[in-house]
């Protein structure tokens, strides 16, 4: 665990010159090109983190990711879900994070650069505003990742998916891409101390088209996406 934390801290310091450069990117570049450039270092950082945990990430279904902005919707197994997904999914994306992380130097700057949205769940008005900002980010052409359970399930039963995040796809007119993650909790949360190298499985599931999302009821859509992810997790457990 210590070597992972040291790597994370030193790499953030190493990233400062690159951070300053990406802040000055040519605004005439397309959103897609900007995102590819900005996400290059965060993706390397994430892969480096996972390499130092000794875990192996097995990803499938990458061809299911549509062209253009999407809303990735994943179950939240553990703290390492973000580096696992950032390092293994080619399409750049930001994610929704609790507002407390915004106080952290350097990493919060990078998160803002990759179009992350900070949300204060204790402040309903601010939370609603964050959802609106997320919709605008999607409309601008960036992709986002949400964990609609809100908190980690630590590899246990899925918690009920909240509808607020799902609504973002409907309001922005983008496809939803469900993702099933298994193994990150066994690597860290379910250990008494430190990190245990594990096999981590990520399955990118068939997307729900923007046309379908636009027509569906948000609550029904939320239940459907949760069911798709649960079915994948159940199938993976039977196969292992």
């Amino acid at each position: 665990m210590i070597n992972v934390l040291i790597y994370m801290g030193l790499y953030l310091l190493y990233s400062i010159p690159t951070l300053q450069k990406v802040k000055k990117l040519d605004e005439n570049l397309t959103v897609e090109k900007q995102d590819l450039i900005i996400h290059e270092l965060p993706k390397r950082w994430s892969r480096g983190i996972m390499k130092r945990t000794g875990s192996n990430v097995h990803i499938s279904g990458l061809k299911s990711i549509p062209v253009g902005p999407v809303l990735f919707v994943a179950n939240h197994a553990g703290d390492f879900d973000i580096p696992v997904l950032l390092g293994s999914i080619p399409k750049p994306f930001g994610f929704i994070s609790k507002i407390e992380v915004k106080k952290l130097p350097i990493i919060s700057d990078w998160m803002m650069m990759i179009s992350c949205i900070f949300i204060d769940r204790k402040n309903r008005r601010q939370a609603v505003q964050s959802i609106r900002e997320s919709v605008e980010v999607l409309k601008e052409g960036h992709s986002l990742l949400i964990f609609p359970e809100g908190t980690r399930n630590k590899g246990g039963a899925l918690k009920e998916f909240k509808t607020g995040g799902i609504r973002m796809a409907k309001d922005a007119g983008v496809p939803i891409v469900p993702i099933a993650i298994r193994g990150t909790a066994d690597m860290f949360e379910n250990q008494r101390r430190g990190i245990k190298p594990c096999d981590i499985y990520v399955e990118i599931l068939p997307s729900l088209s923007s046309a379908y999302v636009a027509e569906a009821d948000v609550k029904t859509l939320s239940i459907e996406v949760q069911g798709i992810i649960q079915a994948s997790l159940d199938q993976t457990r039977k196969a292992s």
Side-chain angles (χ1 to χ4, degrees):
M1 183 65 175
I2 297 299
N3 68 321
V4 174
L5 293 175
I6 291 173
Y7 168 81
M8 291 171 67
L10 291 178
Y11 204 99
L12 283 175
L13 292 174
Y14 161 81
S15 76
I16 292 175
T18 304
L19 178 61
Q20 300 308 316
K21 288 180 182 179
V22 297
K23 285 182 177 180
K24 300 175 183 177
L25 274 181
D26 185 352
E27 294 182 357
N28 293 320
L29 293 173
T30 64
V31 169
E32 183 179 8
K33 183 62 176 178
Q34 287 183 41
D35 281 348
L36 286 171
I37 295 171
I38 293 169
H39 281 73
E40 183 179 347
L41 187 142
K43 285 183 175 298
R44 287 204 312 266
W45 183 58
S46 297
R47 288 192 288 268
I49 290 171
M50 296 313 301
K51 180 179 180 180
R52 281 156 181 80
T53 68
S55 295
N56 296 310
V57 179
H58 308 271
I59 186 164
S60 61
L62 288 174
K63 291 182 179 180
S64 295
I65 303 175
V67 174
V70 304
L71 180 69
F72 290 112
V73 179
N75 60 303
H76 198 6
D79 283 334
F80 282 87
D81 291 342
I82 289 292
V84 164
L85 296 178
L86 269 180
S88 59
I89 295 178
K91 180 185 282 291
F93 63 86
F95 52 92
I96 310 297
S97 175
K98 57 186 179 181
I99 199 165
E100 289 80 3
V101 180
K102 199 172 184 179
K103 299 176 182 178
L104 300 177
I106 308 176
I107 192 168
S108 60
D109 290 329
W110 271 111
M111 289 173 68
M112 285 186 279
M113 288 303 302
I114 67 172
S115 302
C116 291
I117 301 293
F118 298 95
I119 188 167
D120 184 355
R121 295 189 179 92
K122 298 176 183 177
N123 185 328
R124 180 172 177 77
R125 181 176 295 181
Q126 193 278 334
V128 170
Q129 180 58 33
S130 294
I131 295 298
R132 290 173 180 164
E133 290 175 13
S134 301
V135 172
E136 291 306 311
V137 165
L138 290 166
K139 286 182 176 180
E140 288 169 4
H142 308 281
S143 294
L144 285 175
L145 164 74
I146 63 167
F147 298 111
E149 292 171 278
T151 58
R152 297 163 298 158
N153 59 50
K154 298 183 180 181
L158 294 187
K159 302 178 187 294
E160 182 180 356
F161 280 20
K162 295 177 174 61
T163 59
I166 301 291
R167 181 180 295 279
M168 296 188 319
K170 186 179 182 72
D171 292 347
V174 300
I176 289 176
V177 181
I179 300 177
I181 308 171
R182 189 170 70 86
T184 51
D186 293 333
M187 184 183 77
F188 181 54
E189 276 78 6
N190 297 335
Q191 300 303 316
R192 290 186 177 181
R193 61 171 63 184
I195 294 172
K196 174 186 175 183
C198 287
D199 284 306
I200 297 165
Y201 296 90
V202 177
E203 184 176 9
I204 312 296
L205 298 155
S207 64
L208 282 64
S209 71
S210 56
Y212 178 80
V213 170
E215 293 296 325
D217 171 75
V218 174
K219 181 63 176 177
T220 303
L221 197 58
S222 180
I223 294 171
E224 180 178 357
V225 174
Q226 181 168 351
I228 291 170
I229 293 173
Q230 184 66 69
S232 173
L233 293 172
D234 292 342
Q235 186 174 8
T236 307
R237 288 191 183 99
K238 289 178 183 178
S240 60

